[in-house]
């Protein structure tokens, strides 16, 4: 293994909490452990996720990078050479580039942008995602947005108070939210963020409020969630791990807010008395006590609240029922709805009568 390959293997293993949703990074494609497949990364296919610097002077209590004593890293030309070799050999199809902060933020941001610029000058036309570091200048954010397909800055948690529990150096308002507003202006519709679930002991109610604020103020293309995992040697080494299903419930709630038109007040009804989701799809929890809905008369807003019906299926139902009413559960396949989940919450009467079909389950 070459020196560059050794660095890649080391610097990709360090980014545990950096935009890696459950199930997204799957089977390794070669013996090089740094090459993974990410099906949601802008269609790029195989994506290399790597740190430019594997050492950080910041004090995030959950992060493994702060434990590194070897100041391992790439210069922009060195990394560009290593990545382009992989790309030209068709081993990778995209790049997510982040970095620890071993010294001045401006210098590290300059290196990230310079790396992207070198890659573009040398013919790389694939997917490029650049991480924006806390405290980055507006000029560096502008340049990153110009060279990258997507940029992102991580929220990490839900509020200033929560961030103070896990990171003493970062200022939530100035270093993160202010920079995120610049990110949104420089790359509208082309930026994302991430929350580490459970590290700061936030509730799911707090996460819902945070998400609502995100979509109201800066409209990220996606919010990612990583379940906290304790790491030996960190201040949170004895902190309980967050179950993977909790991050999955956050993803489901996020989809309902972003794509289904649910409100935060609606979703709060799915929380328990402590402000947490149970290990069950929030949409199913909310639908459990509602009366069945007439598929032939219900509006789109109501159809989207039926488990098993998404935006595309709701639109198909509205189109198809004009041609011929839905007559029973078996008829749902016309709209591409499979399984029995949706049928449990529907009736199939016409506009003059509502007849609930007896389901054989």
């Amino acid at each position: 293994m070459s020196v560059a390959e050794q660095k890649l293997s080391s610097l990709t293993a360090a980014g545990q909490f950096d935009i890696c949703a459950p199930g997204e990074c799957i089977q390794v494609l070669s013996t090089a452990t740094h090459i993974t497949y990410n099906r949601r990364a802008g269609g790029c296919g195989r994506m290399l996720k790597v740190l430019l610097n594997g050492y950080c002077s910041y004090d995030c209590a959950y992060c493994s990078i702060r434990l590194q004593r070897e100041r391992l890293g790439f210069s922009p030309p060195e990394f560009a050479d290593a990545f382009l070799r992989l790309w030209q050999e068709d081993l990778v199809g995209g790049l997510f580039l982040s970095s620890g902060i071993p010294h001045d933020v401006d210098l590290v941001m300059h290196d990230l942008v310079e790396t992207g610029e070198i890659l573009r000058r040398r013919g790389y036309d694939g997917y490029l995602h650049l991480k924006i570091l806390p405290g980055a200048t507006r000029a560096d954010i502008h340049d990153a947005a110009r060279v990258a397909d997507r940029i992102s800055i991580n929220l990490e948690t839900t509020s200033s108070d929560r961030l103070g529990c896990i990171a003493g150096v970062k200022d939530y308002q100035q270093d993160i939210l202010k920079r995120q507003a610049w990110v949104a202006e420089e790359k509208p519709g082309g930026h994302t963020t991430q929350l580490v679930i459970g590290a700061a002991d936030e509730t799911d109610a707090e996460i819902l409020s945070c998400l609502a604020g995100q979509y109201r103020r800066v409209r990220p293309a996606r919010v990612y969630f990583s379940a906290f995992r304790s790491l030996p040697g960190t201040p949170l080494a004895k902190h309980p791990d967050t179950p993977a299903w909790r991050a999955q419930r956050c993803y489901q709630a996020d989809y309902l807010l972003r794509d289904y038109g649910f409100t935060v007040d609606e979703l709060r009804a799915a929380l328990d008395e402590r402000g947490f989701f149970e290990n069950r799809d929030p949409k199913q929890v909310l639908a459990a006590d509602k009366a069945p809905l007439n598929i032939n008369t219900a509006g789109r807003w109501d159809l989207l609240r039926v488990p098993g019906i998404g935006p595309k299926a709701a639109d198909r139902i509205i189109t198809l029922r004009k041609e011929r009413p839905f007559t029973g559960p078996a008829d749902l396949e016309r709209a591409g709805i499979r399984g029995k989940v949706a049928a449990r919450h529907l009736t199939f009467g016409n506009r003059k009568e509502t007849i609930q079909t007896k389901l054989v389950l």
Side-chain angles (χ1 to χ4, degrees):
M1 184 181 288
S2 69
V3 173
E5 289 173 334
Q6 291 176 13
K7 286 186 179 182
L8 286 173
S9 295
S10 175
L11 293 174
T12 53
Q16 179 177 352
F17 292 111
D18 223 351
I19 309 254
C20 187
E24 284 197 352
C25 288
I26 58 174
Q27 181 70 37
V28 239
L29 300 175
S30 78
T31 54
T33 57
H34 49 276
I35 301 172
T36 59
Y37 178 83
N38 188 313
R39 60 186 171 84
R40 291 192 181 128
C44 75
R46 294 154 298 165
M47 183 168 67
L48 179 68
K49 297 172 63 177
V50 63
L51 299 169
L52 199 61
N53 294 284
Y55 174 80
C56 191
S57 59
Y58 279 33
D59 64 346
C60 300
Y62 55 83
C63 185
S64 64
I65 303 173
R66 70 196 301 274
L67 302 177
Q68 302 299 317
R69 294 294 175 262
E70 184 180 5
R71 302 202 173 199
L72 197 62
F74 286 102
S75 68
E78 182 186 17
F79 178 80
D81 286 341
F83 177 77
L84 287 170
R85 280 195 298 271
L86 293 171
W87 181 59
Q88 289 160 359
E89 294 171 6
D90 198 30
L91 292 175
V92 295
L95 173 63
F96 177 99
L97 185 61
S98 185
S99 183
I101 307 173
H103 41 71
D104 185 79
V105 170
D106 293 344
L107 294 176
V108 182
M109 277 302 308
H110 175 79
D111 285 349
L112 287 169
V113 172
E114 183 183 355
T115 302
E117 291 174 335
I118 292 172
L119 291 173
R120 295 306 193 199
R121 284 199 304 268
R122 293 180 59 181
Y124 176 63
D125 58 1
Y127 177 83
L128 175 60
H129 184 146
L130 291 180
K131 176 62 63 181
I132 303 301
L133 303 178
T137 67
R138 181 66 181 261
D140 283 334
I141 293 172
H142 172 81
D143 289 338
R146 171 178 49 81
V147 74
D149 299 286
R150 179 157 289 183
I151 58 177
S152 61
I153 183 168
N154 286 354
L155 287 176
E156 312 295 8
T157 188
T158 56
S159 67
S160 296
D161 290 343
R162 292 298 184 184
L163 186 67
C165 298
I166 57 175
V169 175
K170 298 175 186 175
D171 184 294
Y172 196 74
Q173 296 295 325
Q174 291 298 315
D175 292 338
I176 298 178
L177 293 186
K178 182 177 181 179
R179 269 61 188 184
Q180 190 188 39
W182 292 348
V183 163
E185 291 173 4
E186 296 291 347
K187 201 76 171 176
H191 66 98
T192 60
T193 191
Q194 182 189 240
L195 296 170
V196 180
I197 304 300
D201 295 326
E202 74 294 327
T203 65
D204 292 337
E206 291 175 75
I207 292 173
L208 285 178
S209 296
C210 178
L211 291 176
Q214 285 286 294
Y215 292 122
R216 183 176 63 252
R217 291 183 292 102
V218 294
R219 298 182 182 276
R222 285 288 306 274
V223 177
Y224 290 83
F225 305 94
S226 286
F228 169 76
R229 293 289 179 272
S230 60
L231 297 171
T234 65
L236 295 181
K238 295 183 179 180
H239 189 287
D241 288 350
T242 300
W245 63 258
R246 186 179 169 202
Q248 182 60 27
R249 301 304 162 222
C250 289
Y251 272 110
Q252 290 170 326
D254 179 54
Y255 282 124
L256 296 178
L257 280 173
R258 188 180 71 245
D259 297 333
Y260 289 64
F262 279 64
T263 67
V264 170
D265 286 340
E266 282 183 275
L267 289 173
R268 285 196 181 107
L271 301 174
D272 64 20
E273 64 279 1
R274 300 176 302 123
F276 290 92
F277 290 114
E278 59 181 282
N279 187 13
R280 187 180 171 200
D281 186 339
K283 195 176 183 183
Q284 293 190 21
V285 173
L286 293 173
D289 297 327
K290 292 183 178 179
L293 190 70
N294 188 334
I295 192 173
N296 291 309
T297 60
R300 187 177 190 273
W301 188 92
D302 291 311
L303 288 171
L304 287 175
R305 278 142 184 81
V306 175
I309 297 180
K312 291 182 180 179
D315 291 338
R316 285 194 294 265
I317 288 169
I318 292 170
T319 298
L320 292 171
R321 73 189 184 186
K322 294 176 182 177
E323 304 169 1
R324 175 164 55 88
F326 288 80
T327 59
D331 213 12
L332 292 175
E333 290 193 12
R334 282 203 294 146
I337 301 170
R338 295 176 177 82
K340 301 175 181 178
V341 175
R344 295 189 184 101
H345 300 275
L346 295 170
T347 65
F348 298 87
N350 57 33
R351 294 183 180 277
K352 295 182 179 180
E353 59 180 348
T354 300
I355 303 172
Q356 185 171 357
T357 303
K358 183 178 180 181
L359 304 181
V360 180
L361 303 178

